[in-house]
Amino acid sequence: MTERTAVVWVHRNTSTCSACRRDALYDDSHHYTVPGGPTGRPSEQGCGARFEAIGSARIEIGANRLAQLRPNLPIRKYVPR
């Protein structure tokens, strides 16, 4: 069985899993939870994909900031579909 992998995309106030396109916590190793709800607590279970890279489509979130957030992950350039 092949492990599902994903890129965690960092936005201004949230982050997203590339595998299922739902909200994610950028500091999780895998997409375990979908953050949300009025208290900010996890509201659902994530898809379980392992985050293999981090990236952002926002120009103000540069490579230095991404490296600070997740120094253990390579940085992936955003390419629109």
Side-chain angles (χ1 to χ4, degrees):
M1 188 167 120
T2 304
E3 179 182 38
R4 187 174 192 183
T5 60
V7 176
V8 58
W9 293 111
V10 178
H11 311 291
R12 185 180 312 171
N13 298 315
T14 62
S15 53
T16 307
C17 172
S18 69
C20 67
R21 298 188 177 181
R22 294 189 302 169
D23 286 349
L25 300 172
Y26 70 83
D27 53 349
D28 279 352
S29 63
H30 292 69
H31 188 205
Y32 293 127
T33 56
V34 176
T39 62
R41 293 180 158 206
S43 59
E44 307 176 33
Q45 185 173 349
C47 69
R50 179 178 56 83
F51 293 131
E52 65 174 0
I54 188 169
S56 182
R58 301 202 58 90
I59 197 162
E60 68 270 17
I61 302 174
N64 289 338
R65 180 65 181 139
L66 294 172
Q68 288 173 343
L69 294 174
R70 289 295 301 268
N72 61 320
L73 293 179
I75 296 169
R76 184 73 54 87
K77 181 179 169 106
Y78 178 77
V79 179
R81 290 183 180 201

